[in-house]
Amino acid sequence: MNMEKIPQHIAIIMDGNGRWAKAQGKPRSYGHQAGVDTVRRITSECTRLGVKYLTLYTFSTENWNRPSDEVAALMGLVLTSLEDEIFMKNDVRFRVIGDLGRLPDNVRQKLRETEEHTAGNKTMTMVVALSYSSKWELTEATRSIAADVKEGKLAEADITEELISSRLQTAFMPDPDLLIRTGGEIRVSNYMLWQIAYSELYFCDTYWPDFNEDDLHRAIADYQSRDRRYGKV
């Protein structure tokens, strides 16, 4: 890797927890727990490398359709993982994006507490996409803009790409430079569709619980080998 060309924002679709557990004859919740351990390792390595934003696709709006026991186990993992001192140890700020109104009250409260507790950390920002989907996010942004137009606060000519970006949940950070998806699937699954318009995409077969620092390095090295032209020659 070229340490002078580390992507500033890495987004990850952490896929394969359930299949990893099934391959070992374990319940899916076992895979999600193992996935939390991977989050700790990758977060630490990203801070060491100088990544400024790490966004993790943790739970989509579609995931609410999963069996209730699996959803409950995932919500429980959110609570326990937020107790992790990895945020303070690595000087990581925690942020969350998504339709938080659908979350249990205790989970929502813990998320806000963690955001407040880590607000002064500066080395890296970890963003968890929880109860999130890009179509939901874009719909909410459109409603917000439409309401302002109706009230006369905006004119049609005021609606620009910049304005739309400013109404998205991710307005506080730059768009991802690199999107990584583990688990062998080659799709983006309703994840930051607006924001990844010019992101470099990297897919690997490794299930998320087995994804390690070397896998991260390979993804970054692949990113560094690409010529990012943004439509130019």
Side-chain angles (χ1 to χ4, degrees):
M1 290 187 303
N2 180 348
M3 294 300 292
E4 295 182 0
K5 293 179 63 178
I6 298 296
Q8 292 300 287
H9 183 179
I10 297 177
I12 303 180
I13 301 175
M14 306 178 293
D15 195 20
N17 291 338
R19 285 173 287 156
W20 179 86
K22 183 178 179 181
Q24 302 188 47
K26 302 284 188 178
R28 291 175 60 86
S29 59
Y30 181 77
H32 296 311
Q33 178 61 66
V36 171
D37 295 334
T38 302
V39 168
R40 296 187 181 107
R41 295 195 304 272
I42 297 304
T43 299
S44 295
E45 184 63 5
C46 283
T47 58
R48 188 187 74 81
L49 293 174
V51 175
K52 296 302 180 184
Y53 295 89
L54 174 65
T55 305
L56 304 174
Y57 202 8
T58 304
F59 190 86
S60 73
T61 54
E62 290 84 0
N63 288 155
W64 288 111
N65 297 318
R66 290 187 176 186
S68 57
D69 58 340
E70 182 176 353
V71 171
L74 283 165
M75 292 299 108
L77 271 178
V78 170
L79 285 173
T80 57
S81 62
L82 290 176
E83 299 289 352
D84 203 318
E85 280 302 308
I86 190 171
F87 302 114
M88 307 311 294
K89 177 182 176 182
N90 292 282
D91 193 36
V92 172
R93 184 177 185 180
F94 175 83
R95 298 289 297 267
V96 60
I97 59 175
D99 186 4
L100 305 188
R102 299 183 66 179
L103 299 173
D105 290 343
N106 59 337
V107 173
R108 190 164 57 248
Q109 179 180 347
K110 185 63 179 178
L111 291 169
R112 293 309 184 199
E113 289 175 354
T114 306
E115 283 188 321
E116 293 172 4
H117 182 58
T118 62
N121 294 347
K122 300 183 183 305
T123 298
M124 187 180 78
T125 299
M126 178 211 278
V127 183
V128 169
L130 191 62
S131 188
Y132 170 91
S133 81
S134 190
K135 288 185 177 181
W136 165 83
E137 178 185 35
L138 287 166
T139 300
E140 291 299 302
T142 303
R143 286 173 175 165
S144 171
I145 293 171
D148 282 353
V149 171
K150 183 178 180 180
E151 294 175 12
K153 297 178 181 178
L154 288 173
E156 181 180 342
D158 296 327
I159 303 174
T160 62
E161 290 184 13
E162 291 74 20
L163 176 66
I164 294 171
S165 294
S166 73
R167 299 299 177 96
L168 299 178
Q169 298 249 314
T170 55
F172 62 89
M173 62 179 172
D175 292 341
D177 300 297
L178 171 63
L179 169 67
I180 300 170
R181 179 168 188 152
T182 65
E185 305 290 359
I186 305 176
R187 55 177 177 265
V188 296
S189 296
N190 206 355
Y191 186 40
M192 294 203 292
L193 301 178
W194 178 276
Q195 297 89 335
I196 64 171
Y198 277 103
S199 301
E200 298 299 323
L201 309 183
Y202 180 87
F203 301 94
C204 67
D205 293 331
T206 307
Y207 292 147
W208 178 246
D210 288 331
F211 191 84
N212 59 29
E213 292 87 346
D214 288 339
D215 295 307
L216 176 66
H217 298 169
R218 277 190 285 272
I220 293 174
D222 184 83
Y223 159 84
Q224 293 176 346
S225 72
R226 303 183 190 184
D227 183 12
R228 306 188 74 200
R229 298 187 299 275
Y230 299 96
K232 303 175 184 177
V233 175

